[in-house]
Amino acid sequence: MSKRNQTLGEFIIENQTSFKYTSGELSRLLNSIRLAAKVVNHEVNKAGLVDIIGNAGDTNIQGEDQQKLDVYANDKFIQTLTKRNIVCGIASEEEDDFIAINSQDENHQNKYVVLIDPLDGSSNIDVNVSVGTIFSIYRRVTPIGTPVKIEDFLQKGSAQVAAGYVVYGTSTMLVYTTGDGVNGFTLNPAIGSYYLSHPNMEFPEDGNIYSVNEGNYSDFPIGIKKYIKYCQQDEDERPYTSRYIGSLVSDFHRNMIKGGIYMYPKSTKNPKGKLRLLYECNPMAFIAEQAKGKASDGFTRIMDIQPTALHERVPFICGSKNMVEKAEEFMRNN
Ligand code: P6P
């Protein structure tokens, strides 16, 4: 049973035994993410004060301008995970290919790989709107002690052993699951510790918030268009409220607390959707399902999709179970 105000470190240790792969390695991995998030949080919170916002003058494999904080966050997470010799491989939105972490000692027994979006919603950085980090953790599938291969990263979301996000908002929170529910920890910046502030987080089964970029409406599949019109209809408990921050982590986090649905459908501009399966949709889908919500591409459960490429994109519908199922009904019938 979780105790409010327990620190994240105490919580990880207390729940380590319930984790089926108890080796302490996952705890050390979660602790290293906790540390990196604190360092990134420090920079995010002072972004307006130093010359660290604005473009880093480079673009990532997605063809998106790399904001300096994107690069900083990417470097920090990779550095922390590598230095502590905890994982055998890392994939990042900001890296074209995966990074194989080779052993500092010959019997390199690390068995976890991490996939990460180091700073999601980065276009919001220089307008002072919340951004986030998303991470997904798997056990490798190739033999321990050998260099990781692409198949260690192209696993279905259902094989994740842990997933979480950090939201750098009015307060900084780390929310994660290891398959035994979802718990949220709030950072006390004064002492640099995270405290259990949101034990056993769950999506309300229903909600009245829908999050989608309606600027793309004319481009959406007909089923999505009809669902949006359904949300706007003056009937029953509708019209719903439209809330779209432009930061997946922030919209997801609000919807999980209040009830709601987030959608990033495909469109002519984004024929496969915009969000990346491996380090955005899968971790958020794991958290959503562990919080009694749902996540699909409109037809298929996100965590059942077999990945074929590191940076592949999928349409994404995620949130309160009954809302996602209603949207899927419109997609099925049109
Ligand atoms: P658009 C941020 O780039 C992101 O990946 C998500 O965090 C966010 O929900 C979405 O893209 C915003 O995209 O096209 O609506 O600006």
Side-chain angles (χ1 to χ4, degrees), residues 64 93 117 120-123 213 216 244 246-249 251 262 264 269-270 274-276 280:
E64 293 164 346
E93 178 185 82
D117 181 357
D120 178 71
S122 51
S123 54
N213 183 341
N216 301 324
Y244 190 69
S247 170
L248 166 62
V249 168
D251 281 316
Y262 171 96
Y264 208 103
K269 189 171 100 180
N270 293 297
K274 175 183 182 185
L275 300 187
R276 275 67 69 162
E280 289 175 327

Side-chain angles (χ1 to χ4, degrees), residues 90-218:
I90 302 171
S92 166
E93 178 185 82
E94 305 302 335
E95 301 289 334
D96 296 356
D97 201 353
F98 65 83
I99 299 167
I101 313 286
N102 295 318
S103 147
Q104 270 91 5
D105 59 73
E106 62 291 344
N107 63 341
H108 176 30
Q109 296 305 309
N110 296 344
K111 44 182 162 304
Y112 294 108
V113 294
V114 178
L115 297 93
I116 193 159
D117 181 357
L119 209 63
D120 178 71
S122 51
S123 54
N124 289 317
I125 292 169
D126 45 9
V127 292
N128 205 18
V129 170
S130 301
V131 291
T133 295
I134 308 172
F135 62 90
S136 170
I137 301 172
Y138 291 86
R139 286 168 68 85
R140 68 181 299 175
V141 293
T142 54
I144 289 178
T146 64
V148 286
K149 295 198 172 81
I150 187 67
E151 50 265 41
D152 291 309
F153 299 92
L154 299 184
Q155 300 184 52
K156 285 183 181 180
S158 50
Q160 290 174 99
V161 294
Y165 61 82
V166 183
V167 51
Y168 308 100
T170 42
S171 63
T172 294
M173 278 194 68
L174 190 150
V175 176
Y176 82 96
T177 182
T178 56
D180 186 22
V182 177
N183 289 284
F185 299 81
T186 300
L187 177 67
N188 176 341
I191 48 176
S193 294
Y194 292 87
Y195 289 90
L196 179 61
S197 53
H198 297 66
N200 306 312
M201 298 181 80
E202 291 186 358
F203 269 97
E205 213 172 22
D206 270 310
N208 64 7
I209 295 172
Y210 70 101
S211 309
V212 65
N213 183 341
E214 295 193 53
N216 301 324
Y217 178 85
S218 59

Side-chain angles (χ1 to χ4, degrees), residues 15-68:
N15 291 280
Q16 178 172 289
T17 46
S18 67
F19 180 61
K20 57 186 173 191
Y21 305 112
T22 44
S23 68
E25 203 175 357
L26 183 74
S27 298
R28 285 182 16 241
L29 173 43
L30 290 170
N31 277 320
S32 61
I33 289 173
R34 170 180 67 153
L35 171 66
K38 258 195 293 195
V39 173
V40 170
N41 173 65
H42 181 68
E43 289 306 315
V44 167
N45 282 350
K46 64 178 190 180
L49 302 174
V50 294
D51 174 36
I52 195 161
I53 59 177
N55 288 349
D58 201 350
T59 59
N60 60 22
I61 190 167
Q62 331 290 343
E64 293 164 346
D65 288 343
Q66 274 192 314
Q67 303 274 348
K68 282 182 183 171

